[in-house]
């Protein structure tokens, strides 16, 4: 075999190399294909529809034939009163969730961790995890049975005590706190799992040393347990801020009624009512696009921050 | 070890136990109340009374619901999407997740990038609706299955689980002349049973509880799922003022009574309540699998 022959063989093998490797791994491609086709059809093709936010959608012309209107849809969105309403509601619902919901799984995990009686602990965990598995339809239904003016337990009690009824469910004053209470009832228990795991990772010797030094239980929690789970708390907090645009849409939609519209309207409910119920496709696509892009920026930023702190992020 | 835990309960312990018991009661109370009313005889039910235990035990509400065609139809729809949807979820998620662990195969990193992109960005409600409409899936139960065949979070969690499996068995199988398909079926799947158990439950619960897609994609009330039916029975009749609920209208134009509404809620969560005590540990394990990544 001479030099020249080897070189030509090299070139042709480089050209064929990729093809050979693809053939070599044909079963890997076979396995990835169903999932990949799914992503293309149901996740990426709809992104093509985002073009509609720059068009005045005409159902008879479709995406290709509809009239281009530039940034008109965005101008309309940003100058509408509803936009500021949606923005405020999204912010307030998030603030309520951060202030009232976020600390509770941490506190509950600390409380559960102090329980020495194994059976009590396990039964308690089983009970507080349970509501997580109910649908929002069931949770909102139960809220009616607890709090509504005519059939609610609360008003039955007030009635028996001879007091006036309160209409919690049809008053926009209570809407945000009701959403938060529902989230707490449904998910605060389930949220403890990740903190309990973090607490379980603390070296028991540190508690033993603290006891030798005469530290009380509360001091042990403050000086050992809390610092040990601080990274978990910080990561979850940052990722929670990163997903601000995704407030429980099904929950809000189920609690939505004309009476509470001013405090309940968020980007997704607006996209649904305008885009699908009223058929203003371009309006719905535009508001969805705005929400998606802001959400994208927030999630990527949150993930960067978590990674820069030296932890593993979402991806 | 010289160190011994104090067994005696301190005041703080007692406060802790009492608070936890109260939290458990708050978690359970709505269940107890809904059960009690649903088993109370509708004839003797007094609207202004607070029931903590069923009085005049009766199955009348359940018999009524189970005799309506709308409930049976929606139960069948929900069982169909849950069973078929979950099986397809496992198929699509496990195959792709395993392929994604093969980083040295050309194109796999790109595909992982695609998966992550769908994690952080989605086209939104209206474009998804237009796609389902264009595909002719409106009013078909497949509209609740096909758009949810897999998702980025599940793919990432299952992929990182497979990444962490010991590689010796896989290598041995390849030396024995097994291709990737054989490795997947004979080595990876048997080793992945914990993650399969957890995700079977997650997928099934998600399908059973799915509400929004059913609301938007199934306009024909004969195709309704349980969640949409319960919503129309309980929430709509509540919000509108119990005046015009025609959802269960097989043999009466009466709005559904409270006992019937509560019985429909109990039935809609019954499968979850039945499997929950047995499978709770798998659910919790699933969360831990997820928290390794994210």
């Amino acid at each position: 075999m001479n030099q020249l022959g080897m070189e030509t063989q090299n070139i042709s093998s480089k050209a064929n190399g990729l093809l050979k490797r693809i053939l070599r791994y044909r079963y890997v491609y076979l396995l990835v294909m169903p999932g990949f086709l799914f992503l293309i059809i149901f996740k990426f093709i709809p992104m093509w529809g985002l073009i509609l936010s720059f068009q005045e959608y005409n159902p008879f012309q479709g995406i290709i034939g509809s009239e281009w209107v530039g940034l008109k849809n965005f101008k309309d969105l940003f100058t509408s009163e509803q936009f500021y309403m949606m923005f405020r509601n999204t912010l307030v619902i998030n603030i309520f969730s951060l202030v009232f919901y976020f600390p509770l799984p941490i506190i509950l995990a600390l409380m559960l961790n102090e329980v020495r009686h194994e059976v009590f602990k396990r039964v308690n965990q089983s009970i507080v995890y349970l509501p997580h598995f109910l649908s929002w339809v069931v949770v909102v239904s139960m809220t009616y049975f607890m709090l509504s003016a005519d059939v609610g337990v609360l008003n039955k009690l007030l009635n028996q005590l001879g007091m006036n009824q309160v209409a919690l469910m049809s008053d926009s004053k209570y809407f945000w706190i009701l959403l938060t209470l529902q989230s707490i009832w449904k998910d605060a228990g389930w949220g403890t799992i990740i903190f309990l795991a973090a607490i379980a990772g603390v070296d028991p010797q540190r508690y033993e040393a603290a006891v030798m030094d005469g530290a009380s239980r509360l001091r042990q929690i403050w000086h050992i347990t809390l610092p040990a789970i601080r990274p978990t708390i910080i990561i979850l907090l940052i990722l929670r801020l990163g997903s601000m645009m995704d407030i429980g849409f099904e929950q809000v939609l189920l609690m939505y009624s004309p009476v509470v519209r001013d405090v309940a309207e968020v980007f997704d409910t607006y996209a649904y009512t305008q885009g699908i119920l009223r058929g203003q496709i371009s309006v719905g696509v535009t508001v969805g696009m705005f929400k998606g892009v802001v959400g994208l920026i927030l999630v990527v930023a949150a993930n960067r921050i978590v990674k820069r702190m030296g932890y593993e992020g979402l991806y | 070890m010289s160190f011994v835990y104090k067994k005696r309960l301190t005041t703080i312990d007692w406060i802790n136990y009492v608070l936890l018991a109260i939290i458990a009661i708050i978690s359970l109370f709505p269940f107890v109340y809904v059960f009690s009313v649903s088993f109370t005889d509708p004839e003797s039910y007094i609207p202004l009374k607070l029931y903590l235990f069923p009085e005049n035990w009766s199955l009348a509400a359940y018999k009524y619901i189970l005799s309506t065609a709308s409930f049976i139809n929606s139960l069948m729809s929900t069982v169909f999407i849950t069973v078929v949807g979950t099986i397809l979820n496992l198929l699509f998620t496990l195959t792709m997740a395993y392929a994604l662990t093969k980083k040295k195969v050309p194109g796999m990193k790109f595909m992982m990038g695609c998966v992550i992109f769908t994690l952080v960005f989605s086209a939104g409600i209206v474009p998804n609706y237009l796609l389902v409409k264009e595909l002719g899936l409106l009013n078909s139960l497949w509209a609740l299955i096909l758009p949810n065949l897999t998702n980025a979070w599940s793919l990432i969690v299952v992929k990182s689980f497979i990444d962490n499996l010991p590689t010796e068995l896989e290598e041995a199988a390849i030396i024995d002349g097994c291709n990737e398909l054989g490795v997947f079926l004979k080595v990876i799947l048997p080793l992945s049973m914990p993650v399969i158990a957890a995700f079977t439950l997650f997928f099934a619960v998600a399908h059973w509880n799915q509400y929004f897609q059913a609301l938007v994609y199934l306009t024909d009330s004969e195709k309704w799922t349980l969640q949409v039916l319960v919503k129309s029975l309980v929430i709509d009749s509540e919000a509108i003022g119990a005046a015009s609920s025609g959802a269960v209208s097989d043999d009466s134009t009466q709005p559904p009574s409270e006992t019937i509404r509560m019985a429909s809620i109990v039935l809609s969560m019954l499968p979850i309540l039945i499997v929950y005590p047995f499978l709770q540990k798998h659910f919790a394990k699933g969360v831990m699998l997820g928290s390794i990544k994210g």
Side-chain angles (χ1 to χ4, degrees), chain A residues 292-306:
Chain A
V293 171
V294 175
L296 173 72
I297 294 166
L298 289 173
V299 174
V300 172
N303 203 54
R304 281 262 168 87
I305 294 169
V306 170

Side-chain angles (χ1 to χ4, degrees), chain A residues 44-69 281-282 285, chain B residues 123 126-131 134:
Chain A
F44 288 101
I45 288 182
M47 289 179 196
W48 170 251
L50 290 174
I51 292 176
L52 287 171
S53 59
F54 304 104
Q55 295 180 336
E56 192 62 60
Y57 182 67
N58 180 339
F60 303 106
Q61 308 279 315
I63 292 181
I64 301 179
S66 288
E67 190 196 340
W68 291 90
V69 293
I281 296 290
S282 285
V285 174
Chain B
V126 180
N128 288 335
Y129 168 78
L130 291 176
L131 176 75
E134 289 298 312

Side-chain angles (χ1 to χ4, degrees), chain B residues 53-114:
Chain B
F53 302 100
E55 283 174 27
N56 303 319
W57 273 84
S58 155
L59 290 171
Y62 290 95
K63 279 187 184 142
Y64 174 75
I65 291 175
L66 292 169
S67 72
T68 62
S70 53
F71 184 84
I72 300 299
N73 280 342
S74 66
L75 180 67
M76 307 265 263
S77 298
T78 308
V79 169
F80 174 78
I81 58 157
T82 303
V83 173
V84 177
T86 305
I87 293 169
L88 292 175
N89 282 150
L90 290 172
L91 186 73
F92 277 70
T93 307
L94 289 162
T95 49
M96 188 171 191
Y98 171 62
L100 288 172
T101 63
K102 303 282 164 219
K103 283 190 206 77
K104 57 184 193 303
V105 177
M108 286 307 132
K109 278 188 182 160
F110 168 74
M111 294 210 185
M112 193 63 204
C114 290

Side-chain angles (χ1 to χ4, degrees), chain A residues 18 21-22 24-25 27-36 38-39 41-47 49-50 52 57 108 110-112 114-117 120 122 124-131 133-138 140-142 144-146 148-151 153 156-157 159-160 165 185 190 193-194 197 204 207-208 211-212 217-218 236 239 249-250 253-254 268 271-272 275-276 281 284-285 288-289 292-293 295-296 299-300 312-315, chain B residues 1-3 5 10 12-13 16-17 19-21 23-24 26-31 33-34 45-50 92 95-96 98-100 102 104-108 110-111 114-123 125-131 135 137 146-150 155-156 179-181 184 202 205 209-213 215-216 227 230-231 234-235 238-239 258 261-262 265 268-269 272-273 276 280 283-284 287-288 291-294:
Chain A
L18 189 65
R21 277 170 77 200
I22 288 173
R24 154 76 188 82
Y25 291 119
Y27 292 106
V28 177
Y29 292 107
L30 184 73
L31 284 167
V32 85
M33 229 4 101
F36 187 62
F38 163 76
L39 288 184
I41 296 171
F42 287 98
K43 301 285 171 187
F44 288 101
I45 288 182
M47 289 179 196
L50 290 174
L52 287 171
Y57 182 67
L108 190 53
L110 292 173
M111 288 168 71
L112 282 167
E114 291 304 309
V115 175
R116 299 267 180 272
H117 195 285
F120 181 91
R122 208 161 298 155
N124 207 293
Q125 280 176 295
S126 297
I127 291 171
V128 297
Y129 293 170
L130 179 58
F133 295 98
L134 302 184
S135 67
W136 277 113
V137 171
V138 169
V140 174
S141 300
M142 283 181 165
Y144 275 105
F145 290 137
M146 294 299 119
S148 87
D150 51 345
V151 295
V153 168
K156 287 182 184 185
L157 276 174
N159 189 62
Q160 282 177 356
Q165 300 190 334
W185 185 76
W190 186 247
I193 292 179
I194 198 155
Y207 292 109
E208 288 162 19
V211 170
M212 295 297 184
R217 292 272 286 281
L218 287 175
L236 288 181
L239 294 178
F249 167 56
E250 282 198 353
L253 189 67
L254 284 159
D268 275 334
Y272 169 60
I276 297 175
I281 296 290
V285 174
M289 172 122 153
V293 171
L296 173 72
V299 174
V300 172
E312 232 183 314
L314 267 182
Y315 50 86
Chain B
M1 203 162 69
S2 62
F3 180 80
Y5 274 114
T10 62
I12 291 173
D13 280 313
N16 192 29
Y17 277 89
L19 284 176
L20 284 171
I23 291 167
I26 293 171
S27 301
L28 274 187
F29 179 75
F31 292 93
Y33 178 69
V34 169
Y45 175 76
I46 306 160
L48 275 176
K49 196 172 155 185
L50 185 61
F92 277 70
T95 49
M96 188 171 191
Y98 171 62
L100 288 172
K102 303 282 164 219
K104 57 184 193 303
V105 177
M108 286 307 132
F110 168 74
M111 294 210 185
C114 290
V115 170
I116 288 166
F117 190 68
T118 66
L119 180 75
V120 295
F121 187 76
S122 122
I125 294 167
V126 180
N128 288 335
Y129 168 78
L130 291 176
L131 176 75
L135 292 173
L137 291 173
L146 297 180
N148 307 317
L149 285 172
T150 184
L155 285 168
I156 292 172
N179 60 43
E180 283 87 355
L181 193 63
F184 175 68
F202 285 143
V205 170
N209 285 343
Q210 165 64 249
Y211 165 68
F212 179 66
Q213 289 181 330
L215 174 77
V216 178
Q227 301 299 333
V230 168
K231 189 259 178 187
V234 180
I235 301 175
E238 191 61 39
E258 244 176 282
R261 286 193 229 159
M262 301 223 189
I265 289 185
S268 80
M269 59 187 183
I272 291 173
L273 295 183
Y276 175 75
Q280 187 213 332
F283 281 120
V287 173
M288 291 324 297
S291 69
I292 296 167
K293 198 76 205 169

